[in-house]
Amino acid sequence: MEFEVINKNKDELVFMVNGADIAFVNAIRRICMMEVPTIAIDDVNLVKNDSAMFNEVLAHRLGLLPIASDIKSIEGLVMPDECDCGEYCPQCSVPMTLNKKGPCVVYSKDLESLDQKIKPVYDTIPLLKLKEDEEVCLEAYAQLGIGKEHAKWQPTIVCAYKFYPELTFGDECTSCGNCAGACPRGVLQYNNNKVEIMDLTNCSMCKSCYRACDDRVINISFDDSKFIFKIETDGSIPPEEVLLKACDVLSDKADKIIEIV
Amino acid sequence: MIPIRCISCGKPVSAYFDEYQDRIAKGEDPKAVLDDLGITRYCCRRMLITHVETW
Ligand code: SF4
Ligand code: SF4
Ligand SMILES: [Zn+2]
Ligand SMILES: [Zn+2]
């Protein structure tokens, strides 16, 4: 199997996989989304909420906050179902508190976590608004969990793959340039009486170029063992960590099957 | 209040809400601001463009 990183930044990783089959790539994709543990707020004790927002809505908003869950931050933390405390203990949960008096907008940065590393990824998320003399006071417990249980524990937002496109021109191509004009993604460009392929990874295989070609001599196909894979995360875990963890989970699963068989 | 995340894809768009609003109020073009903030998908862009802050 061959890998090549096409594009990478803080929250996004695009890479090419060559020589894999669909089942394998899809398994990785599903595990990235569903079985890589992240931290999210799971329980909220509201002591006081004078705002116009319902308690349930506020709790829901808190649950959706992306919280730093990279390997370093979650070191030592165990999954709640592996912990035998039955409630919330320091091994399985991180308590957070929010105390604020209006008038103000309460932001995610106002949430005070007991653990310095495990806190909301973004400081600027507005949670609720308080008017004059209104107060909010709550206690929240963040825990590890997986996307299979609830979408708030999904580390990825976009996690998808597509086949690697293949473009070929037949011998009868007259270099008229019609195909280049029809491409909505700028993959084909008409320069000096020649059609050039610019960035093939950007091709969506929409076949607009094929339809624009009078003699239908341009060919769009794909290689079904070559993929372009994109992982974009919500900031809680870097995308390469998601991928590595997904590979670990998959190999654990394979080990389990080998044991049974 | 703006939803915390994009309803379609899950990107935490609310983190950019204040900056977006401030820059729009200063007269910047919404398209330019969204591009600059790195909000590329149309699902996320509509979250900010169409939001009406009422309470
Ligand atoms: S439209 Fe067809 S004939 Fe014209 S340049 Fe493209 S492939 Fe060649
Ligand atoms: S299939 Fe669509 S995106 Fe790809 S080169 Fe043809 S027109 Fe462009
Ligand atoms: Zn515990
Ligand atoms: Zn979106």
Side-chain angles (χ1 to χ4, degrees):
Chain A
M1 223 179 289
E2 224 183 287
F3 290 91
E4 192 193 311
V5 176
I6 297 170
N7 188 11
K8 189 183 142 182
N9 57 39
K10 198 171 116 295
D11 294 336
E12 195 183 304
L13 174 67
V14 184
F15 59 98
M16 187 269 286
V17 193
N18 195 359
D21 56 23
I22 300 174
F24 176 75
V25 178
N26 196 38
I28 294 285
R29 179 188 69 89
R30 294 184 67 136
I31 294 172
C32 283
M33 288 173 19
M34 294 302 168
E35 292 183 57
V36 173
T38 52
I39 294 176
I41 290 175
D42 194 35
D43 200 5
V44 180
N45 277 337
L46 273 147
V47 181
K48 199 168 186 194
N49 176 18
D50 298 334
S51 75
M53 185 175 280
F54 291 126
N55 294 354
E56 292 85 345
V57 179
L58 179 55
H60 180 244
R61 288 179 75 84
L62 288 168
L64 289 176
L65 286 178
I67 293 174
S69 341
D70 51 290
I71 295 176
K72 274 209 202 87
S73 309
I74 63 170
E75 209 181 339
L77 213 62
V78 299
M79 297 285 283
D81 51 2
E82 284 163 21
C83 185
D84 39 34
C85 65
E87 256 280 293
Y88 302 104
C89 75
Q91 256 101 57
C92 65
S93 359
V94 181
M96 298 181 181
T97 51
L98 181 64
N99 284 302
K100 211 67 187 161
K101 200 164 186 252
C104 66
V105 179
V106 183
Y107 288 95
S108 49
K109 64 168 186 287
D110 299 322
L111 204 59
E112 278 166 42
S113 172
L114 215 62
D115 189 320
Q116 282 311 303
K117 290 169 297 191
I118 300 175
K119 56 178 178 37
V121 180
Y122 298 97
D123 284 341
T124 50
I125 297 179
L127 288 171
L128 73 159
K129 279 179 191 162
L130 295 172
K131 294 206 183 74
E132 188 73 43
D133 285 336
E134 288 181 349
E135 252 181 272
V136 67
C137 174
L138 62 83
E139 196 181 34
Y141 293 97
Q143 290 192 316
L144 277 175
I146 55 174
K148 220 153 89 172
E149 200 178 326
H150 192 292
K152 68 183 173 186
W153 279 303
Q154 271 187 25
T156 59
I157 50 182
V158 173
C159 186
Y161 61 85
K162 68 174 182 184
F163 290 124
Y164 204 92
E166 272 176 356
L167 271 181
T168 47
F169 297 94
D171 293 338
E172 298 91 47
C173 173
T174 54
S175 296
C176 66
N178 288 352
C179 52
C183 178
R185 295 196 155 209
V187 176
L188 300 171
Q189 220 121 90
Y190 193 52
N191 293 326
N192 308 324
N193 290 325
K194 253 184 72 192
V195 177
E196 280 172 45
I197 298 172
M198 307 306 284
D199 179 11
L200 198 52
T201 55
N202 200 17
C203 173
S204 65
M205 291 183 243
C206 66
K207 293 202 166 183
S208 294
C209 49
Y210 177 76
R211 284 188 292 270
C213 177
D214 294 331
D215 302 323
R216 307 278 152 115
V217 292
I218 185 166
N219 246 310
I220 304 122
S221 59
F222 52 81
D223 180 345
D224 68 1
S225 63
K226 201 170 171 188
F227 304 88
I228 300 170
F229 203 123
K230 177 172 173 176
I231 300 177
E232 189 180 338
T233 71
D234 61 7
S236 53
I237 313 182
E240 38 311 348
E241 258 179 45
V242 174
L243 185 62
L244 289 176
K245 181 70 192 173
C247 294
D248 287 349
V249 173
L250 184 61
S251 81
D252 283 352
K253 280 175 187 281
D255 286 347
K256 259 183 220 155
I257 290 177
I258 291 167
E259 252 172 57
I260 295 166
V261 181
Chain B
M1 303 291 307
I2 180 131
I4 302 276
R5 289 170 184 251
C6 168
I7 292 169
S8 302
C9 74
K11 190 180 174 75
V13 284
S14 57
Y16 309 102
F17 179 67
D18 280 3
E19 188 178 346
Y20 175 78
Q21 292 284 308
D22 286 350
R23 290 173 66 175
I24 296 297
K26 286 198 192 104
E28 274 187 67
D29 177 24
K31 178 179 184 295
V33 180
L34 288 168
D35 287 342
D36 191 41
L37 292 173
I39 299 171
T40 49
R41 283 181 294 277
Y42 53 70
C43 57
C44 309
R45 291 167 87 97
R46 62 94 205 259
M47 296 302 292
L48 291 171
I49 293 169
T50 61
H51 179 71
V52 180
E53 187 85 345
T54 51
W55 58 283

mmCIF file of all heavy atoms in Angstrom, chain A residues 109-141:
data_model
loop_
_atom_site.group_PDB
_atom_site.id
_atom_site.type_symbol
_atom_site.label_atom_id
_atom_site.label_comp_id
_atom_site.label_asym_id
_atom_site.label_seq_id
_atom_site.Cartn_x
_atom_site.Cartn_y
_atom_site.Cartn_z
ATOM 1 N N LYS A 109 -15.076 30.170 26.673
ATOM 2 C CA LYS A 109 -13.882 30.397 27.496
ATOM 3 C C LYS A 109 -14.238 30.595 28.978
ATOM 4 O O LYS A 109 -13.383 30.456 29.847
ATOM 5 C CB LYS A 109 -13.080 31.591 26.981
ATOM 6 C CG LYS A 109 -13.805 32.919 27.073
ATOM 7 C CD LYS A 109 -12.836 34.068 26.814
ATOM 8 C CE LYS A 109 -13.473 35.421 27.031
ATOM 9 N NZ LYS A 109 -14.426 35.804 25.971
ATOM 10 N N ASP A 110 -15.510 30.907 29.249
ATOM 11 C CA ASP A 110 -15.936 31.109 30.638
ATOM 12 C C ASP A 110 -16.108 29.792 31.392
ATOM 13 O O ASP A 110 -16.280 29.766 32.604
ATOM 14 C CB ASP A 110 -17.259 31.882 30.675
ATOM 15 C CG ASP A 110 -17.114 33.254 30.042
ATOM 16 O OD1 ASP A 110 -16.054 33.875 30.245
ATOM 17 O OD2 ASP A 110 -18.040 33.690 29.334
ATOM 18 N N LEU A 111 -16.101 28.698 30.653
ATOM 19 C CA LEU A 111 -16.223 27.376 31.251
ATOM 20 C C LEU A 111 -14.890 27.028 31.904
ATOM 21 O O LEU A 111 -13.864 26.968 31.235
ATOM 22 C CB LEU A 111 -16.550 26.379 30.137
ATOM 23 C CG LEU A 111 -17.251 25.078 30.466
ATOM 24 C CD1 LEU A 111 -18.595 25.336 31.116
ATOM 25 C CD2 LEU A 111 -17.433 24.261 29.206
ATOM 26 N N GLU A 112 -14.908 26.830 33.216
ATOM 27 C CA GLU A 112 -13.647 26.557 33.916
ATOM 28 C C GLU A 112 -13.488 25.072 34.159
ATOM 29 O O GLU A 112 -14.294 24.443 34.836
ATOM 30 C CB GLU A 112 -13.617 27.312 35.241
ATOM 31 C CG GLU A 112 -13.201 28.763 35.059
ATOM 32 C CD GLU A 112 -13.488 29.583 36.285
ATOM 33 O OE1 GLU A 112 -13.223 29.078 37.397
ATOM 34 O OE2 GLU A 112 -13.989 30.709 36.130
ATOM 35 N N SER A 113 -12.420 24.533 33.583
ATOM 36 C CA SER A 113 -12.185 23.097 33.711
ATOM 37 C C SER A 113 -11.194 22.837 34.831
ATOM 38 O O SER A 113 -10.274 23.617 35.062
ATOM 39 C CB SER A 113 -11.649 22.550 32.396
ATOM 40 O OG SER A 113 -11.245 21.234 32.556
ATOM 41 N N LEU A 114 -11.370 21.719 35.521
ATOM 42 C CA LEU A 114 -10.453 21.357 36.594
ATOM 43 C C LEU A 114 -9.111 20.894 36.015
ATOM 44 O O LEU A 114 -8.078 20.970 36.655
ATOM 45 C CB LEU A 114 -11.081 20.238 37.437
ATOM 46 C CG LEU A 114 -10.790 20.285 38.922
ATOM 47 C CD1 LEU A 114 -11.347 21.561 39.525
ATOM 48 C CD2 LEU A 114 -11.396 19.079 39.607
ATOM 49 N N ASP A 115 -9.171 20.408 34.771
ATOM 50 C CA ASP A 115 -7.961 19.936 34.107
ATOM 51 C C ASP A 115 -7.520 21.001 33.098
ATOM 52 O O ASP A 115 -8.288 21.399 32.225
ATOM 53 C CB ASP A 115 -8.276 18.611 33.391
ATOM 54 C CG ASP A 115 -7.020 17.939 32.862
ATOM 55 O OD1 ASP A 115 -6.130 18.651 32.354
ATOM 56 O OD2 ASP A 115 -6.941 16.709 32.946
ATOM 57 N N GLN A 116 -6.286 21.475 33.242
ATOM 58 C CA GLN A 116 -5.807 22.556 32.386
ATOM 59 C C GLN A 116 -5.814 22.214 30.904
ATOM 60 O O GLN A 116 -6.025 23.070 30.050
ATOM 61 C CB GLN A 116 -4.378 22.957 32.804
ATOM 62 C CG GLN A 116 -4.325 23.835 34.038
ATOM 63 C CD GLN A 116 -5.289 25.010 33.952
ATOM 64 O OE1 GLN A 116 -5.218 25.805 33.026
ATOM 65 N NE2 GLN A 116 -6.207 25.111 34.907
ATOM 66 N N LYS A 117 -5.555 20.924 30.584
ATOM 67 C CA LYS A 117 -5.452 20.543 29.173
ATOM 68 C C LYS A 117 -6.814 20.276 28.545
ATOM 69 O O LYS A 117 -7.029 20.536 27.365
ATOM 70 C CB LYS A 117 -4.578 19.287 29.037
ATOM 71 C CG LYS A 117 -3.104 19.545 29.340
ATOM 72 C CD LYS A 117 -2.348 18.239 29.447
ATOM 73 C CE LYS A 117 -2.868 17.436 30.573
ATOM 74 N NZ LYS A 117 -2.277 16.303 31.074
ATOM 75 N N ILE A 118 -7.718 19.730 29.339
ATOM 76 C CA ILE A 118 -9.022 19.365 28.789
ATOM 77 C C ILE A 118 -9.993 20.523 28.935
ATOM 78 O O ILE A 118 -10.606 20.729 29.969
ATOM 79 C CB ILE A 118 -9.548 18.081 29.465
ATOM 80 C CG1 ILE A 118 -8.549 16.942 29.217
ATOM 81 C CG2 ILE A 118 -10.918 17.711 28.929
ATOM 82 C CD1 ILE A 118 -8.867 15.680 29.920
ATOM 83 N N LYS A 119 -10.068 21.320 27.868
ATOM 84 C CA LYS A 119 -10.967 22.473 27.874
ATOM 85 C C LYS A 119 -11.464 22.711 26.452
ATOM 86 O O LYS A 119 -10.928 22.132 25.504
ATOM 87 C CB LYS A 119 -10.236 23.698 28.423
ATOM 88 C CG LYS A 119 -8.953 24.040 27.693
ATOM 89 C CD LYS A 119 -8.391 25.293 28.318
ATOM 90 C CE LYS A 119 -7.105 25.790 27.777
ATOM 91 N NZ LYS A 119 -6.748 25.740 26.417
ATOM 92 N N PRO A 120 -12.500 23.551 26.281
ATOM 93 C CA PRO A 120 -13.007 23.770 24.930
ATOM 94 C C PRO A 120 -11.903 24.232 23.965
ATOM 95 O O PRO A 120 -11.030 25.018 24.333
ATOM 96 C CB PRO A 120 -14.057 24.869 25.122
ATOM 97 C CG PRO A 120 -14.514 24.699 26.523
ATOM 98 C CD PRO A 120 -13.318 24.253 27.296
ATOM 99 N N VAL A 121 -11.955 23.697 22.753
ATOM 100 C CA VAL A 121 -10.944 24.016 21.742
ATOM 101 C C VAL A 121 -11.020 25.493 21.354
ATOM 102 O O VAL A 121 -10.011 26.154 21.167
ATOM 103 C CB VAL A 121 -11.147 23.134 20.493
ATOM 104 C CG1 VAL A 121 -10.107 23.445 19.435
ATOM 105 C CG2 VAL A 121 -11.120 21.663 20.848
ATOM 106 N N TYR A 122 -12.239 25.995 21.218
ATOM 107 C CA TYR A 122 -12.431 27.395 20.822
ATOM 108 C C TYR A 122 -12.910 28.213 22.017
ATOM 109 O O TYR A 122 -13.736 27.754 22.789
ATOM 110 C CB TYR A 122 -13.475 27.490 19.700
ATOM 111 C CG TYR A 122 -13.072 26.767 18.453
ATOM 112 C CD1 TYR A 122 -13.530 25.485 18.192
ATOM 113 C CD2 TYR A 122 -12.224 27.367 17.528
ATOM 114 C CE1 TYR A 122 -13.147 24.810 17.038
ATOM 115 C CE2 TYR A 122 -11.840 26.709 16.383
ATOM 116 C CZ TYR A 122 -12.311 25.430 16.133
ATOM 117 O OH TYR A 122 -11.943 24.782 15.005
ATOM 118 N N ASP A 123 -12.362 29.407 22.146
ATOM 119 C CA ASP A 123 -12.755 30.291 23.252
ATOM 120 C C ASP A 123 -13.963 31.145 22.900
ATOM 121 O O ASP A 123 -14.588 31.743 23.762
ATOM 122 C CB ASP A 123 -11.591 31.231 23.599
ATOM 123 C CG ASP A 123 -10.508 30.505 24.369
ATOM 124 O OD1 ASP A 123 -10.810 29.436 24.925
ATOM 125 O OD2 ASP A 123 -9.372 31.017 24.412
ATOM 126 N N THR A 124 -14.258 31.234 21.610
ATOM 127 C CA THR A 124 -15.180 32.270 21.143
ATOM 128 C C THR A 124 -16.589 31.764 20.839
ATOM 129 O O THR A 124 -17.340 32.440 20.151
ATOM 130 C CB THR A 124 -14.614 32.904 19.865
ATOM 131 O OG1 THR A 124 -14.252 31.842 18.971
ATOM 132 C CG2 THR A 124 -13.406 33.749 20.153
ATOM 133 N N ILE A 125 -16.939 30.583 21.325
ATOM 134 C CA ILE A 125 -18.275 30.069 21.027
ATOM 135 C C ILE A 125 -19.304 30.667 21.994
ATOM 136 O O ILE A 125 -19.206 30.467 23.196
ATOM 137 C CB ILE A 125 -18.291 28.527 21.098
ATOM 138 C CG1 ILE A 125 -17.369 27.956 20.024
ATOM 139 C CG2 ILE A 125 -19.701 27.983 20.964
ATOM 140 C CD1 ILE A 125 -17.265 26.455 19.997
ATOM 141 N N PRO A 126 -20.277 31.428 21.492
ATOM 142 C CA PRO A 126 -21.284 31.995 22.392
ATOM 143 C C PRO A 126 -22.225 30.895 22.887
ATOM 144 O O PRO A 126 -22.754 30.125 22.087
ATOM 145 C CB PRO A 126 -22.037 33.002 21.512
ATOM 146 C CG PRO A 126 -21.567 32.798 20.119
ATOM 147 C CD PRO A 126 -20.510 31.776 20.076
ATOM 148 N N LEU A 127 -22.396 30.828 24.195
ATOM 149 C CA LEU A 127 -23.254 29.777 24.760
ATOM 150 C C LEU A 127 -24.659 30.284 25.073
ATOM 151 O O LEU A 127 -25.646 29.662 24.725
ATOM 152 C CB LEU A 127 -22.615 29.223 26.036
ATOM 153 C CG LEU A 127 -21.370 28.360 25.841
ATOM 154 C CD1 LEU A 127 -20.726 28.057 27.174
ATOM 155 C CD2 LEU A 127 -21.725 27.074 25.129
ATOM 156 N N LEU A 128 -24.723 31.405 25.783
ATOM 157 C CA LEU A 128 -26.030 31.981 26.090
ATOM 158 C C LEU A 128 -25.858 33.461 26.419
ATOM 159 O O LEU A 128 -24.734 33.926 26.609
ATOM 160 C CB LEU A 128 -26.712 31.253 27.244
ATOM 161 C CG LEU A 128 -26.183 31.473 28.668
ATOM 162 C CD1 LEU A 128 -27.243 31.109 29.678
ATOM 163 C CD2 LEU A 128 -24.945 30.655 28.928
ATOM 164 N N LYS A 129 -26.995 34.159 26.481
ATOM 165 C CA LYS A 129 -26.948 35.580 26.802
ATOM 166 C C LYS A 129 -27.631 35.804 28.144
ATOM 167 O O LYS A 129 -28.667 35.199 28.417
ATOM 168 C CB LYS A 129 -27.682 36.378 25.724
ATOM 169 C CG LYS A 129 -26.845 36.620 24.497
ATOM 170 C CD LYS A 129 -27.657 37.380 23.499
ATOM 171 C CE LYS A 129 -26.962 37.418 22.157
ATOM 172 N NZ LYS A 129 -27.890 37.765 21.087
ATOM 173 N N LEU A 130 -27.037 36.681 28.935
ATOM 174 C CA LEU A 130 -27.639 37.024 30.221
ATOM 175 C C LEU A 130 -27.983 38.503 30.234
ATOM 176 O O LEU A 130 -27.186 39.333 29.796
ATOM 177 C CB LEU A 130 -26.657 36.711 31.353
ATOM 178 C CG LEU A 130 -26.307 35.239 31.559
ATOM 179 C CD1 LEU A 130 -25.187 35.116 32.576
ATOM 180 C CD2 LEU A 130 -27.514 34.444 32.004
ATOM 181 N N LYS A 131 -29.176 38.826 30.733
ATOM 182 C CA LYS A 131 -29.558 40.232 30.866
ATOM 183 C C LYS A 131 -29.177 40.710 32.266
ATOM 184 O O LYS A 131 -28.678 39.946 33.079
ATOM 185 C CB LYS A 131 -31.067 40.373 30.641
ATOM 186 C CG LYS A 131 -31.497 40.039 29.220
ATOM 187 C CD LYS A 131 -32.791 40.771 28.869
ATOM 188 C CE LYS A 131 -33.273 40.410 27.486
ATOM 189 N NZ LYS A 131 -33.869 39.048 27.427
ATOM 190 N N GLU A 132 -29.439 41.972 32.516
ATOM 191 C CA GLU A 132 -29.170 42.593 33.816
ATOM 192 C C GLU A 132 -29.650 41.696 34.966
ATOM 193 O O GLU A 132 -30.789 41.229 34.966
ATOM 194 C CB GLU A 132 -29.899 43.947 33.845
ATOM 195 C CG GLU A 132 -29.579 44.829 35.029
ATOM 196 C CD GLU A 132 -28.186 45.426 34.935
ATOM 197 O OE1 GLU A 132 -27.807 45.861 33.835
ATOM 198 O OE2 GLU A 132 -27.478 45.442 35.973
ATOM 199 N N ASP A 133 -28.761 41.430 35.928
ATOM 200 C CA ASP A 133 -29.087 40.671 37.145
ATOM 201 C C ASP A 133 -29.399 39.190 36.924
ATOM 202 O O ASP A 133 -29.761 38.504 37.865
ATOM 203 C CB ASP A 133 -30.283 41.311 37.891
ATOM 204 C CG ASP A 133 -29.858 42.574 38.601
ATOM 205 O OD1 ASP A 133 -28.648 42.691 38.889
ATOM 206 O OD2 ASP A 133 -30.713 43.439 38.838
ATOM 207 N N GLU A 134 -29.296 38.723 35.700
ATOM 208 C CA GLU A 134 -29.514 37.290 35.482
ATOM 209 C C GLU A 134 -28.218 36.538 35.770
ATOM 210 O O GLU A 134 -27.134 37.066 35.534
ATOM 211 C CB GLU A 134 -29.991 37.026 34.047
ATOM 212 C CG GLU A 134 -31.403 37.479 33.818
ATOM 213 C CD GLU A 134 -31.889 37.204 32.400
ATOM 214 O OE1 GLU A 134 -31.062 36.856 31.533
ATOM 215 O OE2 GLU A 134 -33.085 37.339 32.172
ATOM 216 N N GLU A 135 -28.373 35.308 36.211
ATOM 217 C CA GLU A 135 -27.200 34.535 36.602
ATOM 218 C C GLU A 135 -27.274 33.136 36.039
ATOM 219 O O GLU A 135 -28.361 32.580 35.871
ATOM 220 C CB GLU A 135 -27.173 34.420 38.129
ATOM 221 C CG GLU A 135 -26.092 35.250 38.796
ATOM 222 C CD GLU A 135 -26.135 35.053 40.288
ATOM 223 O OE1 GLU A 135 -26.888 35.797 40.959
ATOM 224 O OE2 GLU A 135 -25.433 34.158 40.753
ATOM 225 N N VAL A 136 -26.112 32.573 35.772
ATOM 226 C CA VAL A 136 -26.083 31.157 35.427
ATOM 227 C C VAL A 136 -25.007 30.496 36.283
ATOM 228 O O VAL A 136 -23.947 31.075 36.536
ATOM 229 C CB VAL A 136 -25.856 30.916 33.911
ATOM 230 C CG1 VAL A 136 -24.469 31.342 33.470
ATOM 231 C CG2 VAL A 136 -26.081 29.455 33.554
ATOM 232 N N CYS A 137 -25.318 29.318 36.780
ATOM 233 C CA CYS A 137 -24.384 28.604 37.630
ATOM 234 C C CYS A 137 -24.594 27.121 37.368
ATOM 235 O O CYS A 137 -25.686 26.594 37.570
ATOM 236 C CB CYS A 137 -24.680 28.967 39.085
ATOM 237 S SG CYS A 137 -23.691 28.020 40.237
ATOM 238 N N LEU A 138 -23.588 26.493 36.861
ATOM 239 C CA LEU A 138 -23.748 25.064 36.537
ATOM 240 C C LEU A 138 -22.444 24.306 36.695
ATOM 241 O O LEU A 138 -21.358 24.887 36.795
ATOM 242 C CB LEU A 138 -24.299 24.885 35.120
ATOM 243 C CG LEU A 138 -23.498 25.379 33.919
ATOM 244 C CD1 LEU A 138 -22.442 24.375 33.480
ATOM 245 C CD2 LEU A 138 -24.422 25.657 32.756
ATOM 246 N N GLU A 139 -22.603 23.010 36.708
ATOM 247 C CA GLU A 139 -21.490 22.091 36.885
ATOM 248 C C GLU A 139 -21.645 21.055 35.771
ATOM 249 O O GLU A 139 -22.742 20.532 35.571
ATOM 250 C CB GLU A 139 -21.713 21.424 38.239
ATOM 251 C CG GLU A 139 -20.553 20.722 38.843
ATOM 252 C CD GLU A 139 -21.013 20.115 40.167
ATOM 253 O OE1 GLU A 139 -22.178 19.699 40.288
ATOM 254 O OE2 GLU A 139 -20.197 20.042 41.068
ATOM 255 N N ALA A 140 -20.590 20.811 35.017
ATOM 256 C CA ALA A 140 -20.707 19.867 33.904
ATOM 257 C C ALA A 140 -19.625 18.806 34.017
ATOM 258 O O ALA A 140 -18.537 19.071 34.528
ATOM 259 C CB ALA A 140 -20.566 20.615 32.582
ATOM 260 N N TYR A 141 -19.939 17.609 33.568
ATOM 261 C CA TYR A 141 -18.941 16.540 33.574
ATOM 262 C C TYR A 141 -18.631 16.126 32.148
ATOM 263 O O TYR A 141 -19.528 15.735 31.414
ATOM 264 C CB TYR A 141 -19.448 15.327 34.367
ATOM 265 C CG TYR A 141 -19.599 15.619 35.828
ATOM 266 C CD1 TYR A 141 -20.847 15.968 36.352
ATOM 267 C CD2 TYR A 141 -18.495 15.578 36.670
ATOM 268 C CE1 TYR A 141 -20.986 16.258 37.688
ATOM 269 C CE2 TYR A 141 -18.633 15.879 38.010
ATOM 270 C CZ TYR A 141 -19.871 16.217 38.520
ATOM 271 O OH TYR A 141 -20.003 16.513 39.839
#
